[in-house]
Amino acid sequence: MALASCAALCASLSFNVGFQVTPYSCTPHAAGVAVSTASGQSSVGCATSFTPTVDVCQVTLGIKTSGTGNVYSEVWLPNNNASSWNGRTLTTDNGGVNGCVHYVDMAYVTGLGFAAIGDNAGHNGSSFDMTWSLNNNEAIIDWSHRARHAAVVTGKSVVNQFYKKASAYNYYLGCSAGGAQGLQSAQKYPSDFNGIIAGSSANDFNHLQDWSSRFLQLTGPVGDPKFLNATQWLTVQAAIFAQCDKAIDGVDDGILEDPTQCRFDSSVLACNATVTTNCLTSTQVNTVNEVFTELYDTQGRLLYPSLLYGAQYDAFRLGQLSGGPQGIAQDWFRGGIHNDSSFNVANVGQSDYALADSLDNLHGNPSAFSADLNAFKNANGKIMMYHGMADPLVSSSNSQRYYLKVAKTMGLTNTQIDPFLRYFRVAGMAHCGVGGISGAGAWMFGQSGVASSAPNNIITNLVNWVEKGQAPDTLQGTKFWYDTPAWGIQFQKNHCRFPYRTTYNGGDSTKPSGWSCNLISDWQTCAVGAHPRLCNADGTFQ
């Protein structure tokens, strides 16, 4: 396939996709040559350049989604020769609340042969900046779901017209808010994708922001008697590991294999007459206890599950426990909820939680928490969910909660869920590599360009499941020494699908063979007294 065909593409493109589409450019790029990104992207903190790993035809487009809604989209078409394209599309995500085409992953997946689709979610902006939501509900709807769908149907049309045939299969890859975008697609647009990878999903978005905003109230600002500094959180971490690492999972490796089993006794942290250093005041001990609690509404209904033990130090490093407002939560309450740029997120409370819930439909359901996946299931779609058990920004328990909600809503057992949804709990993994923090666990499995060196690739796992019926019972992860592939493999682990627990079997803990998958017999127990607490007293979900 000649590069010249790319330059002529824009003049011949036409669209019948339900949106007004304007092609901006069709440009051939050679592998290994850096390319500057569009100014609307580079000026707001997105990438300033990208380097394709294979020859591609880059198509840039504008998509009008409403009177004021506009989406910027890119489609990258592998075009070195007739066999460059593998016959599939893969759509990339927007992490956090960003409006950035995911250039790193676009380059990654085109290198695997996919035609890649990306978009700006209806706005240009960086991951922790949601100021664009102020007085801009059409942009919120685009970000919630409409921009992704518009980019997908438009991208598929570009692929069809360039290669003169439709894609055989269509896939999605996302993490954090990008994971929620994947679940949203399954909920609202079940025919958009044959297979979805939804990592560390930030769904139930409204309640997530309620939960995130509350941490400032629990810790107080720097200098408050309730506040713990970084060193003190390290003290807490050491005490948690002493009680809940080897004592529970059998391996002293600084990884809590299943932190939902931990019943931490915080009294060991308290200063007393004989312990006066490396200890906490009673007020600070109470802070520790509060940080690991769930969030409820005024009627005692669960809004959001607790932070899991083992995630606390990174939660401090990434701003949850460091004594300041969480940026996304602050912008969401100022823009999406109150349309008041001066609103003080430190004062968020139950009335604000209720208001956010009441606006979910108006906003296009950014909650992305519908558990009716029947249409997606009936379309023979497949979802691979994963979540780090040491996630400091989005509680891993929320993905388990979503799985339970699917089971409850659809009236299915785990074996009946297996054919279309598999959820993998990844011990020791943080949140999508945010802030350069990935965690101590075996967190690499090809889920991003950064993790592409892992021997096992989740994209390949999904393709084999969708196209060959080879369903993955485990997700093999790799930990390289110092997270650097050139240094070699430190250990590997097969992360079990829920409701199985990855369990040490007495062998070499650095090898997959050292671990087995044991069924959690009470996996559906979720109400009062359950660990983790994931549903209301009557077994329902918010």
Side-chain angles (χ1 to χ4, degrees):
M1 191 171 297
L3 286 173
S5 65
C6 176
L9 179 63
C10 277
S12 64
L13 285 175
S14 62
F15 298 93
N16 183 23
V17 295
F19 301 97
Q20 180 183 328
V21 181
T22 303
Y24 292 146
S25 64
C26 296
T27 311
H29 299 296
V33 178
V35 181
S36 296
T37 60
S39 60
Q41 292 281 281
S42 60
S43 64
V44 295
C46 303
T48 58
S49 67
F50 63 86
T51 303
T53 58
V54 296
D55 293 351
V56 297
C57 174
Q58 178 200 27
V59 180
T60 66
L61 312 114
I63 309 171
K64 192 169 184 62
T65 55
S66 70
T68 59
N70 293 280
V71 176
Y72 173 76
S73 178
E74 296 195 13
V75 184
W76 292 13
L77 306 157
N79 71 335
N80 182 59
N81 56 56
S83 62
S84 297
W85 180 45
N86 65 16
R88 309 173 178 97
T89 70
L90 194 151
T91 298
T92 56
D93 71 336
N94 308 107
V97 290
N98 79 39
C100 300
V101 174
H102 200 150
Y103 290 102
V104 171
D105 280 358
M106 296 279 280
Y108 169 42
V109 301
T110 49
L112 299 176
F114 294 87
I117 301 169
D119 64 82
N120 74 340
H123 66 278
N124 292 318
S126 58
S127 292
F128 291 93
D129 177 9
M130 207 175 186
T131 54
W132 51 266
S133 65
L134 185 70
N135 296 309
N136 197 353
N137 195 58
E138 290 300 312
I140 294 175
I141 295 171
D142 277 335
W143 165 75
S144 294
H145 67 88
R146 190 171 56 193
R148 178 53 32 78
H149 176 63
V152 168
V153 295
T154 301
K156 288 180 182 179
S157 180
V158 171
V159 167
N160 194 351
Q161 294 178 69
F162 183 70
Y163 294 115
K164 308 303 181 187
K165 64 177 181 180
S167 52
Y169 296 94
N170 303 286
Y171 295 95
Y172 175 81
L173 175 67
C175 195
S176 187
Q181 288 173 329
L183 296 178
Q184 183 81 293
S185 291
Q187 295 160 20
K188 287 187 177 292
Y189 305 106
S191 62
D192 274 3
F193 303 113
N194 302 102
I196 292 170
I197 296 170
S200 306
S201 296
N203 59 336
D204 198 11
F205 182 80
N206 295 307
H207 296 153
L208 170 60
Q209 301 318 313
D210 300 343
W211 178 79
S212 296
S213 66
R214 185 181 67 135
F215 283 118
L216 174 57
Q217 299 168 0
L218 296 180
T219 67
V222 176
D224 190 288
K226 296 181 294 185
F227 183 77
L228 279 72
N229 61 32
T231 300
Q232 290 168 322
W233 279 116
L234 277 176
T235 298
V236 175
Q237 182 140 308
I240 289 173
F241 285 163
Q243 293 183 26
C244 297
D245 185 9
K246 184 179 180 180
I248 292 176
D249 62 33
V251 181
D252 186 9
D253 57 2
I255 299 170
L256 305 186
E257 188 58 42
D258 185 354
T260 67
Q261 293 183 290
C262 181
R263 307 289 182 268
F264 177 58
D265 178 6
S266 63
S267 65
V268 300
L269 299 168
C271 298
N272 55 45
T274 58
V275 179
T276 58
T277 60
N278 296 321
C279 58
L280 305 180
T281 67
S282 59
T283 299
Q284 290 174 316
V285 171
N286 184 65
T287 298
V288 173
N289 293 334
E290 289 295 312
V291 158
F292 294 107
T293 59
E294 303 86 3
L295 179 64
Y296 298 90
D297 69 8
T298 56
Q299 299 180 53
R301 295 175 298 194
L302 179 71
L303 296 180
Y304 203 81
S306 66
L307 183 72
L308 289 181
Y309 292 116
Q312 59 286 324
Y313 182 63
D314 286 342
F316 181 91
R317 296 168 70 193
L318 292 176
Q320 294 280 65
L321 306 178
S322 58
Q326 208 273 0
I328 293 176
Q330 176 171 270
D331 287 348
W332 178 237
F333 280 105
R334 286 179 172 179
I337 307 307
H338 289 287
N339 280 320
D340 177 0
S341 60
S342 64
F343 179 80
N344 186 357
V345 73
N347 297 327
V348 167
Q350 291 288 346
S351 63
D352 305 292
Y353 305 161
L355 178 59
D357 285 348
S358 73
L359 295 173
D360 192 53
N361 287 336
L362 176 69
H363 289 152
N365 308 113
S367 55
F369 210 58
S370 170
D372 182 357
L373 298 177
N374 275 295
F376 186 77
K377 171 180 175 288
N378 293 338
N380 205 30
K382 314 291 185 189
I383 302 174
M384 290 182 69
M385 292 174 58
Y386 68 85
H387 207 135
M389 298 295 276
D391 193 320
L393 296 181
V394 179
S395 176
S396 177
S397 288
N398 198 54
S399 286
Q400 186 169 323
R401 175 172 165 244
Y402 182 69
Y403 184 98
L404 295 183
K405 188 179 181 185
V406 170
K408 176 83 171 181
T409 301
M410 298 178 66
L412 302 176
T413 65
N414 61 296
T415 56
Q416 292 170 319
I417 293 174
D418 272 350
F420 69 95
L421 170 63
R422 297 196 171 204
Y423 166 48
F424 301 89
R425 304 190 304 171
V426 183
M429 181 182 185
H431 187 74
C432 306
V434 170
I437 298 170
S438 298
W443 65 271
M444 284 193 188
F445 36 84
Q447 71 271 30
S448 64
V450 174
S452 61
S453 295
N456 179 59
N457 191 301
I458 191 174
I459 299 174
T460 303
N461 299 155
L462 181 62
V463 168
N464 288 341
W465 185 17
V466 169
E467 300 178 23
K468 300 178 182 179
Q470 299 173 359
D473 289 336
T474 60
L475 177 63
Q476 185 181 98
T478 297
K479 177 70 172 181
F480 292 102
W481 285 104
Y482 309 106
D483 289 332
T484 305
W487 286 71
I489 293 174
Q490 182 179 359
F491 62 90
Q492 291 180 300
K493 187 178 292 181
N494 290 340
H495 305 292
C496 301
R497 75 188 189 282
F498 187 78
Y500 293 85
R501 176 179 291 122
T502 309
T503 306
Y504 180 55
N505 61 26
D508 184 345
S509 65
T510 68
K511 306 294 184 184
S513 60
W515 301 83
S516 304
C517 295
N518 292 352
L519 180 66
I520 302 170
S521 60
D522 62 347
W523 66 272
Q524 290 178 297
T525 303
C526 59
V528 179
H531 295 278
R533 172 73 186 276
L534 298 178
C535 64
N536 298 322
D538 61 359
T540 61
F541 298 83
Q542 294 299 93

